[in-house]
Amino acid sequence: MTDATYEIESIASENPHAGWIKLTMGLGGVVFLLMMIFGLIMRAGQGGIIDLDPVIFYQLLTAHGAGMVGSAALSGAAILWYFVARHVTLSIKIYIIFLGLFLAGVVFILGSIFIGGYGGAWTFLFPLPAISGGAWEAGAAVAFCVGYLLIGVGFLLYYLEMAYNISKSFGGLFGGLGWKFIVNGDSKTAPPPTIIAASSVIVFNSIGIVFGAIVLGASIINLLIPSFAVNALLAKNAIYFFGHVFINATIYMAVTAVYELIPEYTGKPWKTTRLFAIAWAAVVVFVQIVYFHHLLQDVNMPAWALATGQIISYASGVPLIAVTVFSTALYIKGSGMKWDLATKLLVLGVGGWGIGVIPAMIDGMVSVNKLMHNTQWVPGHFHTYLLLGEVAMAFGFAAWLGRDKSSQDQSGLDRFAFQAYLAGGFGFVLMFFWSGASSIPRRWAVHYDEWQLQSQIATVFAAVVILATTLFVLRYVEIHFDERNTPMVHLETDEIVGIEVLSSGEKQLFIILGEALLQEERPVVFISDEPELSLHVSWQAALFEHIRSLNGSCQIISATHSPDIVGSFQDRVIKIEQCIRDVH
Amino acid sequence: MQTTILIVSLILMAVVGVAYARAVYATDGPPAGPGANKARSALLWGMIVFGVILSVGTLREGVYDVAGPAPMVVNVSGGQWWWEVDTYEIPLGQEVEFRVTTEDVSHGMGIYTPGMTLVAQVQAMPGYTNKLVHTFDAPGTYQILCMEFCGIAHHDMVNEFNVLEAAE
Ligand code: HEM
Ligand SMILES: [Cu+2]
């Protein structure tokens, strides 16, 4: 089929794990949407637009926090798995176990909140789960912790499988991290960007999850045996270490979509440079010691820890802004990259991430933190790098998965959805910053009258974000789950069309050649009557050769009126006229 | 102070955002020239140097506010969902050392001015006494709001005290 105008594309047959990844992204998208609606309800409650019972508010807050962090982690994990599988062999069984444990965890968490009434926030700060003031029983809090543990175990299995296979192919984890390459500078030993990202996340997030599991275990024991007490400051350190690392890992996993997909649009590889590898090495270190900035108001912490919190908060922004954001801009400028929903969202994701870290760096300063800690400034910065960062990357990846079908008729809607997401998202986070600067505390179910304007405007922006997200999700669900695997035709003009627009001759070719392709070289006999019907003469001449080039083990028997169709096989023709004459 | 923080943050975010957006929009323009790598190094080193100066400048005097020789001690204790303060009248201009404890879960003591601006805060943690040093420079009724989520009535956990001009 070398000179053929058409290329038969069975949708995304590229990646062996594509089916599971698509399912995961679909689930993640729906949960993101649902959790956004929870967020909208909370913001509307804070704005006094609706009358929201505080008990429900704190349950929604707990569900929204855990659900969003969970969906970000799930979508990040799906993206990372998909792209790591391009470089090393991974066992899909492990992925399925991971997904199963994850969903089991979700069942426990949702049950604990909406059946058990647990409303102790996603951070389960010791000893709040055990001392609810009558709002929930210990059992509900235990169920919540067990849900987290199931998800954590799934992630550890996931990372173990990845670590093992990366180590095998890239000379140990240090090879995969690119640390060997940093030392020897030999570009032949440079692992691809995705492998560096994967190895880094494996290292820090596994450590984070282990600490999380320890403090979860301790919390469970405390819930069951209240006399078993834990040091509250120690528990807080462990929780924030785990929480900070885990939420950051979601973005570091998702960014591999940028490394892998943007080059498909520009034709330029995303190269591993030494600077790139060093920036990732810095991330591995910084992400583990930066969590001290969550404890700047805990004056019993040693001074060095608080100073570290401030210094590393700043330092964490340096590789992100000066390397990731700057290099992405350099790479895309003048690349001729085509903009579609996928590229727009991926590029937004890097920008939102880079912009969102700035108010975090500022809040990491001890003097600022005294005024901004636990105000809505904090949801301001993390919504910026999650909503406009991780989530944008996730929907960008999802849009890319469905790219075949979207190019023509949906582009207007895509454009609208993107603009709404962008405008709604920025407006929404801006209101949090304004709220933070107005000293409005975070996690308050009821806001005083003079605080409500910000929440009211934010509610409108949130509704716009939700509208845009609904469009992303509908588009995705429609593409992947409504239709069977319909084949698509990729025209020379880069357009992608359904087969129904083909002429009858083209359809016939599609069927014949498609059939030959699907035989996968099995020995078959191909019998046809007048296969030349509605075919152009040039195609008639080449048809049999093409069939045989797709399946060399086939025998073709055909009745025809066209002398052209046999092409170069003239010596194999049996002329019926001759046969009849011979009989007589 | 909060307004300054907001404006500085928004400006920095806008600068990074606009520079990034301009570069990525120019997909059809000329690619980045050879000067771009230099610019990246300059940005990298610029941020590092600025960070060192900023860190030394702001951390030189330590991370905690330490009380002078004669602070007024105010004991604050928190619980689900109340604050108890042992002095409800604080003289203006007097250095105060709040000693904050909790009887149950973690709370956060945030001090709000009569105009509802947060001026200082510290955590209250089971098993610890956390000190917060502050000198009030305006009279009026100040509020204590809870800054650390502590359960279903977290937003009701408020109290107040007065800062009084010294009677001559
Ligand atoms: C339309 C979109 C969204 C809306 C309306 C929304 C709304 C909210 C609101 C009102 C809060 C509580 C703020 C407060 O403490 O007073 C919140 C907290 C939070 N949101 Fe969102 N959010 C949205 C998207 C997201 C996304 C995309 C993520 C992450 C992927 C996210 C993660 C979180 C987290 C982790 C918290 C903290 C929960 C806690 O304090 O325990 N949100 N959100
Ligand atoms: Cu509280």
Side-chain angles (χ1 to χ4, degrees):
Chain A
M1 242 175 38
T2 44
D3 58 346
T5 328
Y6 313 117
E7 185 186 317
I8 303 167
E9 277 195 16
S10 156
I11 302 167
S13 55
E14 174 218 16
N15 195 299
H17 304 162
W20 286 98
I21 301 300
K22 277 181 193 162
L23 176 69
T24 312
M25 295 308 291
L27 284 172
V30 171
V31 180
F32 272 137
L33 187 59
L34 183 67
M35 293 300 133
M36 284 182 182
I37 294 169
F38 287 4
L40 179 82
I41 296 171
M42 285 192 283
R43 212 58 175 118
Q46 290 177 334
I49 298 171
I50 56 170
D51 190 18
L52 186 60
D53 179 352
V55 172
I56 307 285
F57 177 94
Y58 292 120
Q59 288 178 4
L60 290 177
L61 181 75
T62 305
H64 178 86
M68 283 296 194
V69 173
S71 307
L74 185 64
S75 56
I79 293 172
L80 185 69
W81 189 275
Y82 185 89
F83 291 121
V84 168
R86 280 184 172 180
H87 303 279
V88 301
T89 313
L90 296 174
S91 157
I92 192 67
K93 274 200 206 108
I94 301 287
Y95 186 83
I96 296 168
I97 296 172
F98 157 76
L99 190 61
L101 283 169
F102 193 97
L103 296 177
V106 169
V107 170
F108 271 84
I109 290 170
L110 288 179
S112 80
I113 297 171
F114 293 112
I115 300 172
Y118 174 75
W122 82 279
T123 42
F124 61 98
L125 186 60
F126 178 85
L128 180 58
I131 306 179
S132 71
W136 63 85
E137 301 296 321
V142 170
F144 187 83
C145 295
V146 169
Y148 267 27
L149 277 175
L150 289 171
I151 293 175
V153 170
F155 260 103
L156 287 178
L157 284 173
Y158 169 113
Y159 288 134
L160 215 57
E161 167 72 5
M162 241 182 219
Y164 176 70
N165 289 294
I166 289 177
S167 299
K168 239 176 25 189
S169 307
F170 291 90
L173 215 50
F174 286 115
L177 285 162
W179 292 9
K180 286 188 177 163
F181 164 60
I182 295 176
V183 176
N184 65 25
D186 174 7
S187 60
K188 278 201 283 310
T189 64
T194 296
I195 295 299
I196 294 187
S199 310
S200 305
V201 171
I202 289 168
V203 169
F204 65 70
N205 211 17
S206 301
I207 299 173
I209 290 170
V210 166
F211 273 87
I214 293 170
V215 68
L216 281 163
S219 298
I220 292 175
I221 300 176
N222 169 261
L223 282 159
L224 301 176
I225 311 166
S227 60
F228 173 89
V230 186
N231 178 296
L233 189 58
L234 198 65
K236 189 170 179 182
N237 271 272
I239 288 171
Y240 278 98
F241 174 72
F242 153 73
H244 185 94
V245 163
F246 193 75
I247 190 66
N248 273 258
T250 67
I251 315 181
Y252 290 117
M253 294 193 280
V255 75
T256 54
V258 175
Y259 300 157
E260 295 274 344
L261 297 183
I262 303 279
E264 293 190 2
Y265 288 78
T266 61
K268 275 194 295 184
W270 198 291
K271 285 208 209 77
T272 297
T273 59
R274 234 166 157 179
L275 179 65
F276 178 90
I278 292 171
W280 270 98
V283 165
V284 172
V285 178
F286 291 168
V287 80
Q288 297 189 70
I289 44 180
V290 71
Y291 82 93
F292 290 125
H293 66 201
H294 292 279
L295 291 109
L296 295 180
Q297 301 315 315
D298 285 286
V299 290
N300 288 300
M301 288 291 287
W304 62 262
L306 303 191
T308 303
Q310 167 169 332
I311 294 169
I312 303 301
S313 293
Y314 180 91
S316 300
V318 176
L320 174 57
I321 292 173
V323 182
T324 307
V325 174
F326 197 94
S327 301
T328 305
L330 273 196
Y331 176 89
I332 290 172
K333 186 174 182 329
S335 65
M337 185 181 78
K338 214 177 103 231
W339 289 106
D340 62 10
L341 184 59
T343 48
K344 280 183 192 169
L345 284 166
L346 290 170
V347 171
L348 167 66
V350 175
W353 183 19
I355 292 171
V357 82
I358 292 170
M361 292 161 87
I362 291 176
D363 186 31
M365 293 175 60
V366 174
S367 54
V368 172
N369 194 264
K370 182 151 262 166
L371 303 177
M372 292 301 190
H373 183 71
N374 279 350
T375 67
Q376 287 194 325
W377 187 266
V378 181
H381 66 69
F382 69 68
H383 279 92
T384 309
Y385 58 65
L386 292 172
L387 183 63
L388 297 169
E390 201 283 337
V391 182
M393 291 179 200
F395 278 113
F397 171 69
W400 174 84
L401 283 176
R403 70 203 176 285
D404 303 1
K405 296 268 191 92
S406 61
S407 327
Q408 349 89 35
D409 52 317
Q410 302 226 11
S411 59
L413 203 57
D414 281 354
R415 214 171 295 136
F416 169 77
F418 177 77
Q419 280 164 3
Y421 192 80
L422 184 70
F426 270 108
F428 177 70
V429 297
L430 220 54
M431 289 307 114
F432 270 145
F433 291 121
W434 181 18
S435 300
S438 311
S439 299
I440 302 174
R442 70 183 284 202
R443 293 175 162 175
W444 268 46
V446 181
H447 278 192
Y448 299 141
D449 288 348
E450 67 258 39
W451 291 345
Q452 290 186 344
L453 179 62
Q454 289 90 326
S455 315
Q456 289 163 358
I457 302 174
T459 305
V460 177
F461 281 123
V464 174
V465 173
I466 289 173
L467 172 69
T469 308
T470 309
L471 292 174
F472 295 159
V473 172
L474 284 180
R475 172 187 188 276
Y476 185 84
V477 171
E478 178 194 31
I479 288 172
H480 292 290
F481 299 102
D482 251 18
E483 302 172 41
R484 306 207 185 100
N485 262 2
T486 329
M488 301 300 291
V489 181
H490 197 138
L491 303 185
E492 264 181 338
T493 56
D494 259 1
E495 240 177 300
I496 295 171
V497 294
I499 43 170
E500 64 284 351
V501 306
L502 300 181
S503 72
S504 60
E506 288 168 332
K507 278 185 189 140
Q508 193 159 330
L509 270 179
F510 184 87
I511 292 165
I512 295 172
L513 295 180
E515 178 61 36
L517 182 69
L518 293 177
Q519 287 158 356
E520 296 175 337
E521 303 274 326
R522 281 189 302 269
V524 293
V525 184
F526 209 96
I527 303 175
S528 56
D529 185 27
E530 300 189 68
E532 70 274 16
L533 285 185
S534 51
L535 287 188
H536 186 273
V537 249
S538 64
W539 259 105
Q540 291 185 10
L543 181 66
F544 286 178
E545 275 171 43
H546 281 308
I547 294 176
R548 287 196 48 100
S549 76
L550 287 172
N551 182 359
S553 341
C554 78
Q555 184 181 17
I556 306 171
I557 303 173
S558 195
T560 176
H561 295 295
S562 160
D564 287 322
I565 196 147
V566 291
S568 59
F569 304 105
Q570 292 295 342
D571 54 328
R572 310 288 174 83
V573 176
I574 302 167
K575 293 192 170 146
I576 301 297
E577 198 181 350
Q578 198 84 51
C579 299
I580 298 170
R581 200 170 309 131
D582 289 350
V583 173
H584 281 277
Chain B
M1 184 61 182
Q2 274 92 340
T3 313
T4 315
I5 295 168
L6 178 66
I7 290 171
V8 170
S9 301
L10 291 181
I11 289 175
L12 289 174
M13 290 163 80
V15 167
V16 172
V18 168
Y20 179 72
R22 279 182 49 151
V24 298
Y25 268 123
T27 45
D28 294 331
N37 280 330
K38 276 215 189 95
R40 177 167 46 199
S41 300
L43 177 63
L44 190 59
W45 288 108
M47 284 186 80
I48 292 172
V49 170
F50 179 75
V52 171
I53 296 170
L54 186 75
S55 306
V56 172
T58 53
L59 295 172
R60 200 185 37 208
E61 295 183 354
V63 292
Y64 317 117
D65 301 324
V66 186
M72 172 182 177
V73 173
V74 175
N75 293 300
V76 180
S77 100
Q80 282 168 331
W81 288 277
W82 44 264
W83 289 111
E84 201 178 276
V85 187
D86 69 356
T87 315
Y88 286 94
E89 293 183 350
I90 293 172
L92 187 67
Q94 162 73 52
E95 186 172 60
V96 184
E97 182 179 281
F98 292 96
R99 296 191 182 164
V100 186
T101 59
T102 164
E103 301 205 335
D104 40 46
V105 301
S106 279
H107 301 280
M109 183 190 69
I111 299 177
Y112 280 69
T113 63
M116 289 307 277
T117 301
L118 180 61
V119 286
Q121 66 171 307
V122 75
Q123 289 275 309
M125 180 176 272
Y128 291 89
T129 301
N130 288 358
K131 290 180 187 165
L132 171 67
V133 177
H134 190 74
T135 306
F136 293 91
D137 55 12
T141 302
Y142 283 70
Q143 307 266 337
I144 297 174
L145 269 56
C146 186
M147 302 300 290
E148 184 61 57
F149 177 57
C150 57
I152 47 170
H154 167 52
H155 56 279
D156 273 337
M157 193 171 152
V158 290
N159 204 337
E160 53 186 48
F161 59 85
N162 291 310
V163 172
L164 304 175
E165 283 183 83
E168 295 297 303

